[in-house]
């Protein structure tokens, strides 16, 4: 009886373990294996027969003086700046809106529902609508900027050229900030109201209350939130793919699209795998450093 | 912690349902199209999107498939695959071995897909079973695979490029005839440009569209994008001149609107149908213009211009465009699949389907049908017969389309933003594209 009891938790975990293996571990191992092979269209029917070329795919990916490496590096920097800006804006908007919505007021429920609309919309429908709005000659954005407000003398392009980066950030933040809003709002539920009452009694301003009560109370929520936002943003594929289609402008060439192009469009699956592995290593490193750092803060707090 | 518990619970549920469904049905539980009745045979067919929508294709094709079922007892499960997914889906099917029995491919991909070895080679014995190779026109047959190898597919729908022009706008500008040389086209284009209207529309964000024009123009400049051994030659002087000529419609001649540089969803077709532009180079499109409400009397079509006095391959006016029908080599029902190919390329079906889609039948015996003898289709089938060439039938064709198409998209974007287009800037983009070709 006793030994069965001891086994039960492991038995219950077994299906999860098997699924984890099937869904994550095995494909990852296959991907790493592929990255050492010259896997082109000639071998995709039987990819194990592709020639073994050891680290050659990696060498090509990080040879920053040749076009493939150079464009990968460009794509990496684009993705880093995109991630920094998009996460910062999404987070700021989310926190600001959540704090603003903390006090009950007339119409709060409706406003809250409106805020969540971008999060609830199907990504494809939402982003394709944005792409219509960003059209140079017929889009709403230029209509407002040029025809109505006369802010620009000539209609700019939003989907090609350098402005593509700006469009990408706008659409991504629009799509992501409601998640930050929702998470922070949930986090705020746990802050006791008495703290604010006491602080107000002591004459603390609203800013002081936010800085001294709200932000420290939100720290655990924020730690997770920022990490999740970072990973989602860094790997975002849908937004650029729907917005720009195949062949994104250089200024908005996110790494997920770049790797997709290398593997599935130029049919160089081995080199695409190598780039994926490099990306995975980078994300592991950043996440690891982040987790260690936040754990330090937590320990220091305790 | 809570999310962890939910995740474990969810995984358990998934694992259990997976286990249950696996127990209850034999084999493939995810495929809804597996018929339980063992007597009827089933074929899976992936059709490309030819009609106005995926549903429109279903409505057109399903009655034909029923006809096939009545004749042979083989039922066909149809899936219409959008163009944006088709190549990726074919590659995934190739890698996994889980593909349809019969499928459509863009004919420019023939040699690329042939090199994967996943498609059935149509050798003489195979052709015998579908009624022979000689039934097909030579032009479309040239785009079914690499030279010297058994074709990888048979032509299904044929198309070619024509220069569409708006007769009313031409009349208003005092132009009597459509241009036959590029100098004339640019001169006419300048007369037609002004007052918010433009002479020519191009689809600058569409990679395939860019490449199709680059190919015909390069031929006219005596250049090819691959040499005889299949090595890329993207930056040859002729290719650079060809692509510069195309980008110059926006950059130098200014007969195309800068906004065309971002068109990728057939906006140029709409612009033409609405009378915003006077000329458009497009694959058989008369039906599309009419569906946008354009007066059929205003639609004129002529061969794409060439340089004055051009002959031979320098007089190329179009690529050989079209859709091919092919069979996955590992089909479990090879005989049924070939019966289906025979049915789809029979005279009766070929005429009916090409007529509906507004394309041209690739069958010799169907050429006299009145459906293909309208002024529009007559012009284009004459071009296909005498002045068309297939895109390079090399394994790396698909990569070429994307890389050169993207290079042109970047060049057009720069031109639209007012940056100068020079021979050097065009060459630099093409060198970059070529260096990204995988070694093979």
């Amino acid at each position: 009886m006793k030994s069965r009891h001891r086994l039960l938790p492991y038995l219950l975990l077994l299906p999860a373990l098997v699924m984890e293996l099937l869904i994550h571990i095995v494909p990852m191992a296959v991907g790493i294996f592929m990255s050492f092979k010259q896997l082109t269209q000639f071998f995709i029917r039987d990819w194990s027969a592709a020639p073994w070329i050891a680290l050659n795919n990696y060498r090509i990916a990080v040879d920053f003086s040749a076009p493939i490496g150079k464009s990968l590096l460009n794509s990496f920097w684009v993705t880093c700046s995109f991630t920094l800006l998009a996460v910062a804006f999404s987070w700021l908007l989310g926190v600001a809106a959540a704090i603003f919505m903390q006090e009950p007021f007339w119409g709060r429920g409706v406003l809250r529902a409106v805020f969540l609309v971008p999060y609830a919309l199907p990504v494809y429908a939402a982003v394709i609508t944005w792409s219509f709005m960003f059209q140079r000659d017929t889009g709403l954005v230029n209509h407002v900027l040029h025809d109505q407000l006369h802010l620009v003398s000539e209609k700019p392009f939003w989907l090609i050229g350098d402005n593509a980066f700006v469009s990408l950030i706008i659409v991504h933040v629009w799509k992501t900030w409601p998640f930050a809003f929702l998470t922070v709002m949930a986090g705020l539920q746990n802050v006791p109201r008495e703290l604010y009452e006491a602080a107000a009694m002591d004459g603390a301003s609203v800013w002081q209350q936010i800085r001294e009560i709200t932000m420290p109370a939100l720290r655990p929520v924020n730690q997770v939130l920022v990490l999740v936002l970072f990973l989602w943003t860094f790997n975002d594929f849908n937004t650029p793919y729907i917005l720009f289609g195949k062949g994104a402008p250089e200024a908005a060439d996110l790494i997920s699209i770049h790797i997709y192009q290398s593997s599935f469009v130029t049919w160089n699956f081995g080199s695409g795998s190598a780039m994926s592995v490099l990306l995975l290593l980078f994300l592991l490193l950043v996440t690891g450093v982040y987790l260690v750092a936040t754990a330090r803060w937590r320990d220091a707090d305790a | 912690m809570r999310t962890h518990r939910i995740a474990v619970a969810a995984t358990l549920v998934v694992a259990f349902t997976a286990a249950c469904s696996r127990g209850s049905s034999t084999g493939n539980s995810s495929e809804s199209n597996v018929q339980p009745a063992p007597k009827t045979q089933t074929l899976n067919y992936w059709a490309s999107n030819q009609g106005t929508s995926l549903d429109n294709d279903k409505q057109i094709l399903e009655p034909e498939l029923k006809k096939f079922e009545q004749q042979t007892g083989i039922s066909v499960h149809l899936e219409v695959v959008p163009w944006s997914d088709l190549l990726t889906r074919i590659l995934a099917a190739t890698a996994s071995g889980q593909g349809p029995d019969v499928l459509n491919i863009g004919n420019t991909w023939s040699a690329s897909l042939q090199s994967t070895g996943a498609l059935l080679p149509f050798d003489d014995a195979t052709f015998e079973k579908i009624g022979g190779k000689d039934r097909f026109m030579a032009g479309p047959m040239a785009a079914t695979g690499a030279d010297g190898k058994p074709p990888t597919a048979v032509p299904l729908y044929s198309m070619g490029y024509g220069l569409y022009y708006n007769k009313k706008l031409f009349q208003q500008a005092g132009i009597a005839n459509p241009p036959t040389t590029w100098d004339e086209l640019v001169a006419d284009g300048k007369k037609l440009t002004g007052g918010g209207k433009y002479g020519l529309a191009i689809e600058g964000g569409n990679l395939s569209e860019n490449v199709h024009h680059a190919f015909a123009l390069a031929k006219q400049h005596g250049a090819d994008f691959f040499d005889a051994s299949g090595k890329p030659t993207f930056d040859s002087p002729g290719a650079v001149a060809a692509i510069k000529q195309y980008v110059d419609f926006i950059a130098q001649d200014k007969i195309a609107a800068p906004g065309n540089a971002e068109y990728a969803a057939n906006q140029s077709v709409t612009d033409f149908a609405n009378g915003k532009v006077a000329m458009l180079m497009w694959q058989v499109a008369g039906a599309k213009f009419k569906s946008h409400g354009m007066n059929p009397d205003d639609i004129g079509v002529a061969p794409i211009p060439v340089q004055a006095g051009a002959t031979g391959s320098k007089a190329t006016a179009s690529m050989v465009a079209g859709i091919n029908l092919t069979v996955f080599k590992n089909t479990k029902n090879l005989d049924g699949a070939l019966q289906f190919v025979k049915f789809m390329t029979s005279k009766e079906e070929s005429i009916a389907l090409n007529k509906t889609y507004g394309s041209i039948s690739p069958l010799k015996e169907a050429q006299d049908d009145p459906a293909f003898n309208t002024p529009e289709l007559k012009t284009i089938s004459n071009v296909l017969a005498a002045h068309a060439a297939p895109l390079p039938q090399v394994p790396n064709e698909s990569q070429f389309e994307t890389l050169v198409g993207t290079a042109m998209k970047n060049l057009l974007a720069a031109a639209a933003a007012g940056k100068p287009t020079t021979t050097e800037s065009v060459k630099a983009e093409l060198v970059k594209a070529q260096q990204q070709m995988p070694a093979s």
Side-chain angles (χ1 to χ4, degrees), chain A residues 259-274:
Chain A
I259 293 175
Y260 167 80
Q261 294 272 6
S262 311
S263 326
F264 292 98
V265 180
T266 56
W267 296 13
N268 214 348
F269 305 95
S271 131
S273 300

Side-chain angles (χ1 to χ4, degrees), chain A residues 21-248:
Chain A
L21 213 65
L22 283 179
I23 295 170
H24 282 129
I25 310 291
V26 171
M28 216 190 281
V30 171
I32 293 172
F33 183 60
M34 281 179 177
S35 71
F36 296 115
K37 293 197 148 220
Q38 186 173 12
L39 190 57
T40 56
Q41 72 226 43
F42 301 101
F43 299 102
I44 66 167
R45 260 179 89 219
D46 180 14
W47 53 267
S48 56
W52 182 269
I53 51 167
L55 288 172
N56 215 17
N57 283 326
Y58 291 90
R59 222 168 280 145
I60 293 170
V62 298
D63 179 2
F64 299 136
S65 59
I68 292 179
K70 208 190 270 175
S71 63
L72 183 70
L73 189 67
N74 168 61
S75 170
F76 176 75
W77 290 125
V78 167
T79 313
C80 286
S81 33
F82 164 73
T83 307
L84 271 176
L85 288 168
V87 170
F89 284 128
S90 303
W91 181 81
L92 268 176
L93 268 173
V95 171
I99 291 174
F100 171 69
M101 301 282 271
Q102 219 179 352
E103 299 297 328
F105 57 88
W106 188 85
R108 183 169 77 148
V110 178
L111 202 58
R112 193 150 39 180
V114 170
F115 280 0
L116 291 177
V117 164
Y119 189 54
L121 276 180
V123 180
Y124 188 83
V127 179
I128 211 89
T129 309
W130 274 105
S131 84
F132 290 147
M133 297 203 300
F134 278 129
Q135 293 277 315
R136 176 181 184 261
D137 294 329
T138 52
L140 182 76
V141 174
N142 275 350
H143 182 63
V144 172
L145 288 180
H146 180 268
D147 303 342
Q148 295 185 323
L149 301 178
H150 305 291
L151 286 175
V152 286
S153 58
E154 203 160 308
K155 288 184 177 178
F157 282 100
W158 293 105
L159 295 175
I160 54 178
D162 291 346
N163 286 342
F165 184 73
V166 180
S167 328
L168 192 61
I169 288 189
I170 293 174
V171 178
H172 185 85
V173 169
W174 175 85
K175 196 164 68 88
T176 314
W177 80 268
F179 176 75
F181 166 64
L182 201 66
T183 315
V184 173
M185 208 165 56
L188 287 176
Q189 305 295 314
N190 292 332
V191 186
R193 310 297 305 160
E194 298 83 51
L195 287 178
Y196 291 103
E197 284 160 22
M201 205 87 86
D202 291 341
S205 70
V206 175
W207 271 117
Q208 279 171 321
Q209 289 180 24
I210 290 176
R211 221 179 51 221
E212 302 299 331
I213 304 171
T214 314
M215 293 325 278
L218 280 179
R219 186 174 288 171
V221 170
N222 274 334
Q223 281 171 354
V224 177
L225 176 64
V226 168
L227 183 64
V228 169
L229 285 179
F230 165 75
L231 291 174
W232 281 359
T233 307
F234 206 93
N235 284 320
D236 188 16
F237 181 83
N238 291 331
T239 317
Y241 189 72
I242 303 170
L243 211 51
F244 308 120
K246 280 181 186 157

Side-chain angles (χ1 to χ4, degrees), chain A residues 11-13 15-17 19-20 38 40-47 66-68 71 132 134-138 154 157-162 241 244-250 258 260-261 263-269, chain B residues 8 11-12 14-16 83-84 87-88 91 94-95 112-113 115-118 205 207 257-263 267 276 329 395-396 398-399 402-403 406 409-410 412-413 416-417 419 429 432 435-436 438-440:
Chain A
L11 272 176
L12 284 173
L13 274 175
L17 208 68
M19 295 309 274
E20 173 70 13
Q38 186 173 12
T40 56
Q41 72 226 43
F42 301 101
F43 299 102
I44 66 167
R45 260 179 89 219
D46 180 14
W47 53 267
I68 292 179
S71 63
F132 290 147
F134 278 129
Q135 293 277 315
R136 176 181 184 261
D137 294 329
T138 52
E154 203 160 308
F157 282 100
W158 293 105
L159 295 175
I160 54 178
D162 291 346
Y241 189 72
F244 308 120
K246 280 181 186 157
E250 253 168 61
H258 194 87
Y260 167 80
Q261 294 272 6
S263 326
F264 292 98
V265 180
T266 56
W267 296 13
N268 214 348
F269 305 95
Chain B
V8 171
T11 323
L12 274 174
V14 171
F16 268 105
W83 278 106
S84 51
L87 191 56
T88 314
L91 285 182
T94 304
S112 286
L113 291 172
S115 68
T116 66
L207 309 189
N260 288 3
E262 66 177 7
Y263 280 9
Q267 294 99 321
K276 281 191 192 166
K329 204 196 246 165
N396 283 336
S398 159
Q399 293 93 321
T402 319
L403 290 169
T406 307
K409 182 181 169 178
N410 293 340
L412 287 164
K419 289 176 195 153
E429 277 290 337
K432 204 168 78 185
Q435 286 172 329
Q436 292 187 55
S440 59

Side-chain angles (χ1 to χ4, degrees), chain B residues 49-353:
Chain B
N49 178 207
Q50 298 299 316
T52 50
S53 67
L54 302 188
D55 275 336
N56 175 254
D57 275 313
K58 276 198 170 158
Q59 282 162 13
I60 291 168
L61 290 172
E62 249 149 19
E64 309 302 320
L65 302 181
K66 277 274 166 312
K67 242 187 261 172
F68 176 68
E69 189 179 348
Q70 277 161 9
Q71 286 175 16
T72 59
I74 304 171
S75 68
V76 180
H77 179 265
L78 167 73
E79 187 179 347
V80 185
V81 184
W83 278 106
S84 51
D85 292 350
L86 189 56
L87 191 56
T88 314
R89 290 279 300 274
I90 296 173
L91 285 182
T94 304
S96 66
Q98 303 286 313
D101 301 285
V102 186
L103 69 155
N104 282 183
I105 60 173
N107 71 355
T108 62
W109 305 335
S110 297
S112 286
L113 291 172
Q114 183 178 38
S115 68
T116 66
L119 302 178
L120 181 76
F122 279 75
D123 53 17
D124 293 341
T126 311
F127 262 117
E128 200 69 21
K129 288 183 195 158
I130 62 159
K133 193 179 191 170
D134 296 335
R135 298 194 299 129
F136 299 96
M137 306 273 289
M141 272 311 291
T144 53
D147 276 347
K149 285 185 187 168
T152 202
V154 296
L156 182 64
Y157 313 126
S158 278
M159 286 167 246
Y161 276 88
L163 174 72
Y164 287 85
Y165 62 99
N166 186 323
K167 288 181 181 167
K168 206 166 87 187
L169 294 178
F170 265 57
Q171 210 181 355
Q172 283 167 6
I175 306 166
N177 294 307
T180 57
T181 67
W182 290 111
D183 290 339
E184 284 173 24
L185 183 134
V186 171
D188 289 348
K190 285 181 177 161
K191 281 184 210 159
L192 292 155
T193 301
K197 292 192 178 184
Y198 278 90
L200 179 73
I202 57 174
E203 192 85 5
N206 181 325
L207 309 189
S208 311
E209 197 66 29
N210 285 344
V211 162
H212 296 167
H213 294 298
F215 168 74
L217 280 168
K219 282 271 178 205
Q220 296 184 8
H221 285 272
D224 270 308
F225 286 98
F226 290 91
D227 66 13
S229 65
K231 289 226 155 49
T233 53
F234 296 176
D235 57 347
S236 69
V240 172
I243 287 169
K244 180 163 188 299
Q245 188 185 341
Y246 193 72
V247 177
D248 273 344
F249 291 143
I250 287 182
Q252 195 189 324
D253 311 326
K254 302 193 191 299
I255 57 172
N260 288 3
E262 66 177 7
Y263 280 9
N266 296 349
Q267 294 99 321
S268 57
V269 174
T270 321
D271 279 359
F272 180 80
N274 294 338
K276 281 191 192 166
V277 287
M279 291 183 278
L280 173 69
M281 300 182 279
W282 206 262
Q283 297 180 33
V284 281
K288 285 195 189 88
F289 302 141
K290 283 178 221 161
S291 76
H292 280 105
M294 188 172 181
N295 181 355
D297 294 338
D298 293 343
I299 306 172
V301 65
I304 303 256
V306 293
Q307 312 292 357
T311 52
S313 76
K314 290 200 170 183
T316 302
S318 174
M319 45 98 68
V320 174
I323 310 304
N324 287 349
L325 189 63
T326 186
V327 174
F328 249 103
K329 204 196 246 165
N330 63 359
T331 172
K332 294 197 182 68
N333 189 354
L334 181 61
D335 191 50
L338 287 176
Q339 281 187 54
F340 183 61
V341 173
K342 188 178 181 183
F343 170 82
M344 289 293 279
T345 56
S346 67
K347 185 180 175 188
E348 190 190 342
E349 283 308 308
S350 184
I351 292 176
L353 285 171

